[in-house]
């Protein structure tokens, strides 16, 4: 069964180089496939690596494919 995606405060959305949809939302990032099925959710509320307060915008670097994410407090 596919995982249902429930978004509380979606803000930023991109489609990456693998055709995955990434959405910043409520302390993390949801990663969906092209059919909008949830692949994974990354991040959690906190301070430090791998945590967010309110992730906002995100972008994928076109060469090294790293992600840059703004986090509003």
């Amino acid at each position: 069964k596919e995982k249902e995606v429930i978004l509380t405060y979606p803000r930023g959305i991109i489609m990456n180089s693998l055709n995955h949809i990434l959405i910043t939302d409520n302390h993390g990032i949801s990663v969906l496939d092209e059919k909008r099925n949830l692949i994974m959710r990354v991040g959690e509320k906190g301070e430090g690596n791998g945590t967010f307060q309110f992730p906002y915008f995100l972008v994928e670097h076109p060469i090294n494919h790293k992600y840059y994410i703004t986090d509003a407090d």
Side-chain angles (χ1 to χ4, degrees):
K1 182 178 177 182
E2 291 126 9
K3 295 180 183 178
E4 183 178 0
V5 179
I6 299 173
L7 302 173
T8 322
Y9 299 107
R11 301 212 194 297
I13 182 169
I14 65 168
M15 181 171 281
N16 69 9
S17 58
L18 300 173
N19 291 327
H20 294 152
I21 302 163
L22 287 79
I23 304 169
T24 59
D25 179 51
N26 200 25
H27 313 301
I29 300 168
S30 295
V31 182
L32 315 175
D33 66 16
E34 62 276 357
K35 294 181 181 178
R36 298 185 308 242
N37 297 311
L38 182 65
I39 297 172
M40 73 174 115
R41 178 139 171 93
V42 295
E44 61 186 14
K45 184 177 182 176
E47 297 180 15
N49 292 335
T51 64
F52 300 99
Q53 292 297 314
F54 299 102
Y56 210 81
F57 295 111
L58 70 155
V59 65
E60 179 185 19
H61 192 282
I63 296 172
N64 65 20
H65 303 288
K66 290 184 179 181
Y67 296 98
Y68 297 91
I69 303 155
T70 60
D71 191 17
D73 185 48

